[in-house]
C-alpha cells in the first residue's frame, strides 16, 4: 500500500509543480470561471491520453520508453520525431524548474545569510542537491518525494488557510474569457504526468491494477488543488498594477514575484515564507519526476548500462544542457512551459494514438488493458492534440489575445 501511495504522490507532484506556479500567472487575465472550465476539460483529455500511453507502453517490453515504442511501431521516422519532441520537452521542463528552483535558493541565501548570489549559484546548488537522488534511481526519488509531497501538502493547507480571509470576491468575477485560448498549452502541460509512465511500469512490475490506481488518483489530485489555488490567487492578486499578474508574468523571476505579490496584497509579512516553502516543494517534486523521466529516456535511447561510468554520463546529459539554457534565458520559466504543451501534444497525444491504432487494429495485439473509446476516441484525441499545437502557434504569432 505504501508503494501505491508513493506512486500516487509521484504522479500528482509531477503535474503540480508546473501548474501551481504557472497557472495563475498565465490564466489570471481570463478570470476564474473560464479558467476553471478549461481546467476540467484539460483534466479529462489528459487523463484519457495518459491511459492511452499506458496501453501503448504495455504493448512493448517493460523498460521501453517512447523512443523504443516509436521505433517498434512507427519506424525510424516515428523514432526521430519521438527523440526530438522528448528531448525538447524534458530539457525545457527541467530548465524551467532549474531556473525557478535556483531563484528560490538564492532568495533563501539572501534571507538567511544576507548573500546576494548570482543566478548560477542557486541553480547549481539546486541541481547538485536533488540530482544526487536521481543518480540512484526511482526508489531513492520515491522515498524523497514522499516527504517532499507531505511538506507540499502542509505548506499548501497553511497557505490556503492564512490567505483565504484576504480573498476579494469581486476579483473572481473580473477577467476576459477570450484570453484563455493563449493559456491552453500551459494548462495542458499542467495536467501532464505522462513522463513517469514507463518508469512506473517497471516499478510496479507491469501490474495493471496498481498502475491504473496510481495514474487515475494521481491525476485527480492536481485538478482539485489547481481549482482551489486558482481561486485563492485570483481572489487576492489583481490582474493590473505594479504587483499584478501581468507584471509578474513579465518579470525575470516569476516564481518569487508571485510569492512577493501574495505577501504584498495580504499585508502578512511572514506569509512570504510559507509561500516560498510551498513553491520550493512544488518545484522540487516536479523537478525530481521530470529529471527521473529524462534520465530513463536517455538511458533507453543511448542503451546505457547500470555501471557507475554510464550513470555519471547519464546525469551529465540530464542536467548540463537545461542548466545552460536556464542561465542563458532566465525568463524562460513560463516560455518553456508554454512550448512544452506542443511537445506534449505530439508525444502523448498523437504518437500513443498511432501506436495503439497499429497494435490494436493492424497487428491485433492484446496487452491486458484497453482504453475505452475505440477508433473514435483515438481520432478525437489526435484532433485535440492538433488543436493544442495550433493554439500555441497562434499565440506565438500574436494571433490570440493574451
Amino acid at each position: 500500500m505504501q508503494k501505491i501511495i508513493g506512486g500516487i504522490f509521484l504522479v500528482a507532484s509531477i503535474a503540480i509543480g508546473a501548474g501551481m506556479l504557472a497557472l495563475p500567472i498565465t490564466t489570471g487575465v481570463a478570470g476564474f470561471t473560464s479558467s476553471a472550465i478549461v481546467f476540467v476539460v484539460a483534466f479529462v483529455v489528459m487523463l484519457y491520453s495518459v491511459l492511452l500511453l499506458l496501453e501503448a507502453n504495455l504493448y512493448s517490453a517493460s523498460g521501453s520508453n517512447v523512443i523504443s515504442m516509436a521505433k517498434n511501431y512507427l519506424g525510424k521516422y516515428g523514432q526521430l520525431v519521438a527523440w526530438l519532441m522528448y528531448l525538447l520537452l524534458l530539457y525545457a521542463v527541467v530548465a524551467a524548474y532549474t531556473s525557478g528552483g535556483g531563484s528560490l535558493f538564492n532568495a533563501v541565501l539572501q534571507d538567511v545569510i544576507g548573500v546576494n548570489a548570482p543566478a548560477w549559484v542557486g541553480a547549481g546548488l539546486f541541481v547538485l542537491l536533488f540530482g544526487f537522488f536521481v543518480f540512484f534511481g526511482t526508489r531513492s526519488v520515491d522515498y524523497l518525494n514522499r516527504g517532499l509531497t507531505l511538506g507540499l501538502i502542509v505548506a499548501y493547507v497553511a497557505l490556503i488557510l492564512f490567505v483565504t480571509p484576504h480573498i476579494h470576491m469581486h476579483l473572481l468575477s473580473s477577467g476576459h474569457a477570450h484570453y484563455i485560448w493563449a493559456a491552453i498549452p500551459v494548462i495542458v502541460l499542467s495536467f501532464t504526468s505522462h513522463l513517469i509512465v514507463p518508469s512506473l511500469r517497471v516499478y510496479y512490475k507491469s501490474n495493471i491494477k496498481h498502475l491504473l490506481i496510481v495514474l487515475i488518483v494521481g491525476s485527480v489530485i492536481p485538478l482539485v488543488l489547481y481549482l482551489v489555488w486558482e481561486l485563492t490567487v485570483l481572489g487576492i492578486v489583481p490582474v493590473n498594477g505594479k504587483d499584478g499578474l501581468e507584471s509578474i508574468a513579465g518579470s525575470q523571476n516569476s516564481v518569487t514575484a508571485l510569492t512577493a505579490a501574495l505577501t504584498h496584497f495580504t499585508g502578512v509579512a511572514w506569509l512570504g515564507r510559507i509561500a516560498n516553502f510551498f513553491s520550493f516543494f512544488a518545484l522540487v517534486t516536479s523537478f525530481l519526476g521530470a529529471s527521473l523521466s529524462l534520465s530513463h529516456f536517455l538511458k533507453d535511447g543511448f542503451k546505457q548500462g547500470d555501471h557507475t561510468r554510464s550513470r555519471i554520463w547519464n546525469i551529465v546529459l540530464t542536467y548540463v544542457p537545461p542548466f545552460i539554457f536556464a542561465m542563458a534565458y532566465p525568463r524562460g520559466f513560463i516560455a518553456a512551459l508554454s512550448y512544452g504543451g506542443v511537445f506534449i501534444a505530439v508525444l502523448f497525444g498523437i504518437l500513443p494514438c498511432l501506436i495503439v491504432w497499429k497494435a490494436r487494429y493492424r497487428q491485433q495485439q492484446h496487452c491486458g488493458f484497453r482504453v475505452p473509446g475505440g477508433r473514435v476516441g483515438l481520432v478525437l484525441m489526435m484532433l485535440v492534440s492538433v488543436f493544442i499545437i495550433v493554439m500555441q502557434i497562434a499565440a506565438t504569432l500574436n494571433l490570440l489575445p493574451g
Side-chain angles (χ1 to χ4, degrees):
M1 188 64 183
Q2 288 184 352
K3 198 172 182 179
I4 293 178
I5 293 174
I8 290 172
F9 281 175
L10 194 56
V11 170
S13 61
I14 291 173
I16 288 172
M20 284 293 188
L21 303 175
L23 286 178
I25 301 171
T26 56
T27 63
V29 182
F32 176 74
T33 301
S34 56
S35 299
I37 292 173
V38 177
F39 286 2
V40 174
V41 174
F43 160 75
V44 173
V45 170
M46 297 310 290
L47 177 60
Y48 189 82
S49 69
V50 78
L51 295 180
L52 277 178
L53 180 64
L54 174 62
E55 180 182 344
N57 188 257
L58 288 169
Y59 288 120
S60 299
S62 179
S64 299
N65 212 303
V66 176
I67 295 297
S68 300
M69 294 158 56
K71 180 181 179 181
N72 292 339
Y73 290 94
L74 305 178
K76 61 180 180 180
Y77 293 111
Q79 182 185 25
L80 178 62
V81 171
W83 255 106
L84 180 62
M85 292 292 102
Y86 214 99
L87 279 179
L88 289 174
L89 170 65
L90 287 173
Y91 276 143
V93 170
V94 173
Y97 294 148
T98 298
S99 177
S103 68
L104 287 175
F105 260 47
N106 280 345
V108 171
L109 291 175
Q110 175 69 36
D111 187 42
V112 175
I113 61 178
V115 175
N116 187 15
W120 66 266
V121 173
L125 290 173
F126 184 78
V127 169
L128 286 173
L129 177 59
F130 297 106
F132 174 81
F133 292 91
V134 175
F135 176 81
F136 288 101
T138 304
R139 184 178 296 274
S140 64
V141 171
D142 178 19
Y143 289 147
L144 174 63
N145 191 74
R146 294 181 196 184
L148 291 170
T149 304
L150 180 61
L152 173 67
I153 294 172
V154 172
Y156 175 85
V157 172
L159 195 59
I160 296 299
L161 289 177
F162 284 117
V163 302
T164 297
H166 300 277
I167 292 177
H168 300 285
M169 298 305 294
H170 71 276
L171 293 177
L172 296 176
S173 61
S174 62
H176 305 281
H178 58 280
Y179 285 106
I180 198 66
W181 298 109
I184 286 178
V186 176
I187 296 173
V188 167
L189 180 59
S190 299
F191 285 97
T192 300
S193 55
H194 305 53
L195 298 169
I196 202 69
V197 169
S199 301
L200 287 176
R201 182 188 170 194
V202 174
Y203 194 42
Y204 292 105
K205 300 179 181 179
S206 300
N207 187 311
I208 296 175
K209 179 181 178 181
H210 290 173
L211 286 166
L212 288 175
I213 292 173
V214 166
L215 291 174
I216 294 172
V217 177
S219 298
V220 170
I221 292 173
L223 174 64
V224 176
L225 298 186
Y226 288 163
L227 290 172
V228 177
W229 178 240
E230 186 85 354
L231 184 149
T232 301
V233 175
L234 269 60
I236 294 175
V237 182
V239 173
N240 303 311
K242 178 183 176 182
D243 296 306
L245 292 171
E246 284 185 340
S247 176
I248 293 171
S251 65
Q252 183 169 339
N253 294 315
S254 55
V255 176
T256 53
L258 178 59
T259 60
L262 288 171
T263 302
H264 172 74
F265 287 108
T266 59
V268 182
W270 48 264
L271 186 62
R273 292 182 181 271
I274 298 179
N276 280 331
F277 274 117
F278 169 71
S279 300
F280 171 76
F281 287 129
L283 277 169
V284 173
T285 51
S286 284
F287 175 79
L288 288 171
S291 298
L292 185 65
S293 298
L294 178 56
S295 173
H296 285 190
F297 167 78
L298 292 171
K299 180 180 178 181
D300 178 48
F302 288 114
K303 305 302 179 184
Q304 295 173 325
D306 286 326
H307 49 84
T308 303
R309 179 178 296 181
S310 292
R311 291 166 69 184
I312 292 175
W313 180 237
N314 178 268
I315 287 296
V316 170
L317 288 176
T318 298
Y319 289 118
V320 171
F323 180 85
I324 294 173
F325 174 81
M327 295 302 95
Y329 188 34
R331 298 189 181 186
F333 183 77
I334 298 300
L337 296 181
S338 297
Y339 285 100
V342 174
F343 309 143
I344 288 292
V346 176
L347 273 174
F348 304 135
I350 295 175
L351 289 183
C353 287
L354 295 176
I355 292 172
V356 169
W357 189 291
K358 186 171 184 178
R360 275 190 198 173
Y361 302 117
R362 291 191 179 182
Q363 299 182 356
Q364 299 295 316
Q365 292 189 45
H366 300 278
C367 64
F369 170 68
R370 176 173 290 196
V371 181
R375 291 180 173 84
V376 174
L378 295 177
V379 171
L380 288 176
M381 187 66 236
M382 285 191 281
L383 290 175
V384 170
S385 301
V386 172
F387 172 75
I388 294 169
I389 296 172
V390 170
M391 287 297 100
Q392 180 58 61
I393 294 173
T396 302
L397 297 176
N398 295 319
L399 300 178
L400 297 175

